[in-house]
Structure formats: structure tokens, C-alpha cells
Amino acid sequence: MSSLVEHFGIAVRQLREQRGWSQEHLAALSDLNRSYVGEIERGRVIVSIVTVQKLAVALQLEPASLLARGEQVASVRRAHRDALAAIGG
């Protein structure tokens, strides 16, 4: 799966965990199946824009902010990878 999908899933998991919520709780708030939320968090599914909207509403964010969070995860991971490469190279 693409890194964009993976980073979006990581962002959803981080936001859920910051709130102290279980996957079940987020699923209930977003009207999604718990196992589907797990698949999203593991980066195994490509979500629709409707699902992004449902998750954003549940997390009390704008959809664009939720998507931007995925980009932030990607940026941090790139910086970390580059720093490790600099140390090892």
C-alpha cells in the first residue's frame, strides 16, 4: 500500500490514542466498523472522502486538518530517516 495511506492511518491512530479512545469508541463515533478502523490505522485500506469526513467529525477536526496530519507524519518520518542516513553515511 502507498506511504500516503500508511501515514494517514498512523495519524488516525495517534489522534485516537491522544484522546484515550479505543478503536471501538472511534468506530462508534464515526459510524464505522471497529475492524475497518483497525485496517485504516494499519494502512491497509484506501479510505473514501466520506470516511475521512466521518473520522474528522469524530475527532473534532476539519477533514483537511486530518489529511494534513498524515502529511506531518510523513514529514517526521522522512526527517528521521534522513538523520539516520546521515549518522550511518
Side-chain angles (χ1 to χ4, degrees):
M1 201 61 62
S2 87
S3 60
L4 174 63
V5 173
E6 179 185 348
H7 296 142
F8 178 78
I10 291 168
V12 170
R13 184 180 66 240
Q14 287 175 347
L15 290 163
R16 175 182 61 76
E17 289 176 347
Q18 285 173 2
R19 288 159 174 76
W21 296 350
S22 65
Q23 286 182 344
E24 290 83 4
H25 186 70
L26 177 57
L29 291 175
S30 55
D31 193 31
L32 298 170
N33 182 286
R34 196 244 13 114
S35 62
Y36 186 59
V37 170
E39 293 290 306
I40 292 168
E41 290 185 358
R42 287 187 294 281
R44 295 198 177 154
V45 294
I46 298 172
V47 299
S48 71
I49 196 157
V50 172
T51 299
V52 171
Q53 171 73 25
K54 287 180 174 186
L55 289 166
V57 168
L59 293 164
Q60 299 175 336
L61 298 169
E62 292 295 321
S65 296
L66 180 54
L67 292 169
R69 181 65 182 255
E71 287 297 316
Q72 290 171 350
V73 167
S75 179
V76 167
R77 288 186 142 204
R78 274 192 302 274
H80 185 255
R81 183 191 66 231
D82 293 348
L84 289 175
I87 291 169

